[in-house]
Amino acid sequence: MKLKLVNGGPKGSEIDVSDATFGREFNQPLVHQVLTAYAAAGRSGTKAQLTKSEVRGGGKKPWRQKGTGQARAGSIRSPIWVGGGRAFAAKPRSFAQKVNRKMYRGAIRSMLSELARQERLVVTATLELEAPKTKMLVGLLAGLGLDNVLILIEAYDEKLHLAARNLVGVDVQTVASLNPVSLARYPKVLATVGALRMLEEKLA
């Protein structure tokens, strides 16, 4: 399939990209599963509460069994007492969900294909700044009609990262760090030709 080149070539020029990477059907259940698993893997799972046996104190029966007119209490650390343990205490656990490599790559291909289909994938030949100035990047994006966008490049570019770090709604990622949450978060993706070629090779 062909994608329009917005910068760095003759007006109206296009580039050929792989249908295997950018021409897939949108698989919504797979994308949802991968996004959910990715978000779940980011949870720390370190919440911990104490059970009745773990709360300090409560070794002595607070009063005798009969004759006081009160409930038959065996410990002041009962879950129904203030300061007592939790009946169903939360314990540290992992929220990770298994997603194999084939599923993960399939979801990325599906999301890229949908971006290309909806013309939300903007392609530029190169993306370089003369200096790490936010004003320069704002002007470049304004010239392309972009504001809330994910910028996808081949390798780390210090000038570009420094220029974008204070911009709300703009993120810069390399192909190696690309993840499904970032692809779903931004309405448009600005990618260099080199980044697309790397994606084709990586997702082949």
Side-chain angles (χ1 to χ4, degrees):
M1 66 179 299
K2 294 183 180 294
L3 294 176
K4 293 180 181 179
L5 195 63
V6 297
N7 196 7
K11 187 175 181 179
S13 59
E14 298 178 328
I15 63 166
D16 290 313
V17 293
S18 171
D19 287 337
T21 304
F22 298 95
R24 295 295 187 98
E25 292 286 334
F26 184 61
N27 190 337
Q28 183 175 353
L30 176 61
V31 171
H32 179 270
Q33 183 177 353
V34 170
L35 284 171
T36 302
Y38 191 90
R43 299 181 65 178
S44 60
T46 56
K47 183 178 181 181
Q49 297 170 322
L50 300 179
T51 62
K52 175 182 176 181
S53 63
E54 294 169 333
V55 179
R56 184 176 177 83
K60 178 184 177 182
K61 187 173 173 66
W63 49 73
R64 66 178 187 268
Q65 180 79 355
K66 290 178 175 292
T68 66
Q70 300 187 85
R72 296 171 292 182
S75 171
I76 62 172
R77 298 306 180 217
S78 167
I80 62 175
W81 280 52
V82 174
R86 291 291 300 233
F88 302 100
K91 294 299 177 184
R93 65 190 180 103
S94 172
F95 290 92
Q97 302 176 22
K98 178 176 173 56
V99 174
N100 59 41
R101 185 180 300 177
K102 184 177 180 180
M103 293 171 61
Y104 188 86
R105 290 182 176 179
I108 296 292
R109 283 194 291 262
S110 183
M111 296 176 77
L112 290 172
S113 299
E114 188 68 8
L115 286 169
R117 190 176 300 112
Q118 296 180 0
E119 298 184 352
R120 292 164 51 199
L121 180 59
V122 183
V123 185
T124 178
T126 58
L127 191 61
E128 297 179 354
L129 297 178
E130 296 179 1
K133 299 292 185 180
T134 301
K135 189 174 182 179
M136 289 184 179
L137 182 58
V138 170
L140 189 151
L141 294 176
L144 298 175
L146 302 172
D147 52 3
N148 193 1
V149 63
L150 170 66
I151 300 174
L152 186 61
I153 54 179
E154 307 99 287
Y156 178 77
D157 185 332
E158 184 177 12
K159 293 179 182 178
L160 193 57
H161 277 80
L162 291 175
R165 65 181 179 177
N166 286 332
L167 287 178
V168 177
V170 177
D171 189 20
V172 179
Q173 289 194 6
T174 63
V175 172
S177 64
L178 182 64
N179 61 78
V181 173
S182 294
L183 283 177
R185 179 178 296 155
Y186 295 91
K188 288 194 175 182
V189 175
L190 174 62
T192 62
V193 174
L196 296 187
R197 298 306 180 206
M198 289 182 66
L199 281 172
E200 288 176 336
E201 183 179 349
K202 183 178 180 180
L203 301 174

